[in-house]
Amino acid sequence: MKPTTTSTSLLSPFNGKSIVLELGHEVGFKAKQELINYLREQQAHISYILTASTDYVLTTTNVDSYKIRRAKRLGLPVVNVEYVHKCRCLRPGQTPIDISKFIIKSAEDQENFIKTGTISMQETRVNVTKANRFDLTKIKLWNSDDVNLPRFDELTHCELGRWAIFKETNDNSSVFFVLELQVIPEEYYDRTTSDYQLRFRYEKQTITDEVSQHDKKVLVQYAFSDDPNEQQQLFASYYYRVAAMPRITRISEMLPNKLGSKLLLRVCK
């Protein structure tokens, strides 16, 4: 009997791993998509921003970006994408590939990774935490119709780091909340078309007649930044605030018509 993808992926070294890709221009779009599809088949979670749950960053030997430097500062392993290619070539029963041999770091860091699962940091976590503390109430929120709204190209190379849709059901109306964390990968980031690399998008739709959708009020707001931690905390703040409201349901599959950004609608087709 031929084994299913699900059963074989349970034994995969990528199963349950949270992986960030930072491949630069050396890996083409089609090759990148094939890599993402393979990792997802192996039950890996592909993230576009660094978080505390990130297991490692996949990259090529010649990439030196802000995300790579930040990963090293946070003690996250930076792994050559060749590791994935080697794992794909393994036959059932063969000895697993040693990931430590693909860490893009000094010999000392590779040895430390073997012992602890992390690499040494250039600064302490205490200092990193202090540097990243900020007051969420001081973040500027822009309305979608503001005259000086910062530029952000969401359709060319933009990707969704996170998104969530909630529905509040009331007696006479339904209210939808859409949260999106949009990211332009550094290899595609162009300041001539976008003022920031990250954008948080908040949408609230109040619909009185959900069938015809004639009586509909829409509020769309944005927050822009180049700081991933700031955007993640802002997303989390909105997420838990909305999730704690009464009569709220999280929508995971069904997308109402014209709800969310064009990027979200394109990704969730």
Side-chain angles (χ1 to χ4, degrees), residues 125-226:
R125 288 192 181 273
V126 175
N127 290 336
V128 172
T129 303
K130 288 182 178 179
N132 290 331
R133 284 181 180 172
F134 52 85
D135 187 355
L136 289 173
T137 62
K138 294 182 179 179
I139 295 178
K140 180 176 176 58
L141 288 177
W142 299 78
N143 292 322
S144 58
D145 57 354
D146 282 345
V147 176
N148 297 318
L149 186 70
R151 298 170 304 162
F152 191 86
D153 182 6
E154 76 172 57
L155 295 179
T156 307
H157 293 292
C158 190
E159 299 170 343
L160 279 175
R162 293 183 179 181
W163 64 274
I165 300 178
F166 296 91
K167 179 181 180 181
E168 179 187 36
T169 305
N170 301 309
D171 293 337
N172 301 317
S173 65
S174 295
V175 183
F176 294 93
F177 301 89
V178 187
L179 312 179
E180 300 177 46
L181 184 51
Q182 303 171 343
V183 185
I184 301 177
E186 185 156 339
E187 63 265 31
Y188 301 119
Y189 180 50
D190 183 358
R191 282 204 176 272
T192 63
T193 57
S194 298
D195 295 317
Y196 294 92
Q197 195 173 352
L198 297 150
R199 182 174 74 173
F200 169 72
R201 185 183 189 275
Y202 168 77
E203 179 178 339
K204 178 182 178 181
Q205 281 198 24
T206 304
I207 304 174
T208 303
D209 185 351
E210 197 170 334
V211 177
S212 63
Q213 295 199 3
H214 287 314
D215 191 1
K216 180 169 62 175
K217 296 179 181 179
V218 181
L219 169 68
V220 178
Q221 292 182 318
Y222 301 103
F224 300 85
S225 177
D226 290 322

Side-chain angles (χ1 to χ4, degrees), residues 10-25:
L10 293 175
L11 302 176
S12 169
F14 308 110
N15 181 23
K17 299 295 184 182
S18 179
I19 302 172
V20 172
L21 303 181
E22 187 72 358
L23 301 175
H25 296 290

Side-chain angles (χ1 to χ4, degrees), residues 42-53:
Q42 304 304 304
Q43 306 302 309
H45 170 66
I46 305 301
S47 178
Y48 299 102
I49 49 180
L50 298 172
T51 69
S53 62

Side-chain angles (χ1 to χ4, degrees), residues 9 22 39-40 69 98 113 168 176 191 217 252 255 264-265:
S9 64
E22 187 72 358
L39 290 172
R40 284 176 174 162
R69 293 190 295 270
D98 184 1
F113 177 79
E168 179 187 36
F176 294 93
R191 282 204 176 272
K217 296 179 181 179
S252 57
L255 283 172
L264 179 61
L265 293 172

Side-chain angles (χ1 to χ4, degrees), residues 50-63:
L50 298 172
T51 69
S53 62
T54 300
D55 288 291
Y56 50 82
V57 180
L58 283 177
T59 187
T60 56
T61 54
N62 297 322
V63 174

